[in-house]
Amino acid sequence: AQSVTQPDIHITVSEGASLELRCNYSYGATPYLFWYVQSPGQGLQLLLKYFSGDTLVQGIKGFEAEFKRSQSSFNLRKPSVHWSDAAEYFCAVGEGNTGNQFYFGTGTSLTVIP
Amino acid sequence: KAGVTQTPRYLIKTRGQQVTLSCSPISGHRSVSWYQQTPGQGLQFLFEYFSETQRNKGNFPGRFSGRQFSNSRSEMNVSTLELGDSALYLCASSETGFLYEQYFGPGTRLTVT
């Protein structure tokens, strides 16, 4: 079955530390890949996207993500976390090969400690 | 540009009733998609409308329906509400389609009692 997996339900990091959030997907072809962030009581904000080309993509708020086809992964990274980064992060996949569908991972909740 | 707006923000309904939620996309965006977010099932795609036509549909029962108007505003309707329909309903708009860059509204929190 097609799926998007975020193995880490919750992550706690210290302010200023580096961050990596994992995302794996299971599809036959290269899908469109996204990372969204959701703050409490808010909608989703797009952090970055990958459609094709350079496998390292830069996003807003200092985030970046790397697409690795061989690992079916699209991990999100940030070199230095700020307290305002505390939120829920969702990996998402747009898949157009077997009927257009859009799938979200289950999310990773990030806590930042001072 | 103004962002995606959704009305109402909060709604309480009784089981068996029906409800209509509204979404106004970003100006110039012709694609509007709807998503359901629940603690148990997470974020799930409901359907996408593009230029007044339903273009894609997720795996939800027929009780969930929608429409889009000529000004791209969209409504989502849920008939015969069930307790399990309690959720945050998110609307997103896009210039080209839901497989590409989407901008989300703040959502409508529906509680079914």
Side-chain angles (χ1 to χ4, degrees):
Chain A
Q2 298 159 333
S3 67
V4 183
T5 303
Q6 293 181 246
D8 304 305
I9 296 173
H10 185 253
I11 284 182
T12 299
V13 298
S14 298
E15 191 168 16
S18 64
L19 172 70
E20 182 169 25
L21 302 182
R22 297 182 290 165
C23 174
N24 293 92
Y25 63 91
S26 62
Y27 297 98
T30 301
Y32 304 131
L33 300 163
F34 308 83
W35 275 99
Y36 284 89
V37 61
Q38 185 177 36
S39 298
Q42 302 296 314
L44 296 160
Q45 182 182 23
L46 179 66
L47 287 175
L48 47 77
K49 60 187 184 292
Y50 174 79
F51 294 159
S52 64
D54 192 347
T55 56
L56 184 63
V57 294
Q58 302 297 321
I60 62 171
K61 303 184 180 186
F63 285 93
E64 66 177 28
E66 185 172 13
F67 169 60
K68 292 185 177 180
R69 184 191 305 274
S70 61
Q71 300 177 19
S72 296
S73 69
F74 188 56
N75 294 348
L76 181 71
R77 300 195 294 248
K78 187 170 184 178
S80 178
V81 171
H82 187 261
W83 63 266
S84 61
D85 292 325
E88 188 89 15
Y89 291 81
F90 293 93
C91 179
V93 170
E95 204 277 315
N97 291 311
T98 58
N100 294 340
Q101 290 292 321
F102 200 87
Y103 302 98
F104 281 93
T106 51
T108 297
S109 177
L110 174 65
T111 297
V112 181
I113 55 177
Chain B
K1 284 184 180 178
V4 178
T5 58
Q6 293 185 245
T7 56
R9 291 293 310 277
Y10 302 90
L11 205 50
I12 300 174
K13 289 288 189 178
T14 303
R15 191 171 45 185
Q17 289 184 317
Q18 74 166 13
V19 67
T20 299
L21 312 181
S22 180
C23 172
S24 293
I26 292 171
S27 177
H29 286 191
R30 294 160 64 190
S31 167
V32 174
S33 298
W34 289 89
Y35 297 84
Q36 182 195 64
Q37 185 176 24
T38 60
Q41 298 299 316
L43 278 155
Q44 294 182 284
F45 168 68
L46 279 155
F47 33 65
E48 182 209 16
Y49 284 85
F50 188 92
S51 294
E52 302 180 64
T53 300
Q54 185 180 91
R55 194 161 67 168
N56 295 286
K57 189 177 188 304
N59 188 26
F60 276 81
R63 299 186 298 108
F64 292 83
S65 63
R67 60 177 176 170
Q68 187 180 32
F69 302 96
S70 58
N71 62 357
S72 292
R73 189 177 71 84
S74 177
E75 290 182 344
M76 189 191 84
N77 183 275
V78 187
S79 62
T80 320
L81 284 165
E82 300 176 0
L83 295 178
D85 297 333
S86 294
L88 179 67
Y89 289 90
L90 293 165
C91 161
S93 77
S94 169
E95 284 188 68
T96 50
F98 81 128
L99 292 182
Y100 302 95
E101 193 160 342
Q102 297 182 83
Y103 296 86
F104 283 79
T108 294
R109 173 73 63 185
L110 171 64
T111 301
V112 182
T113 62

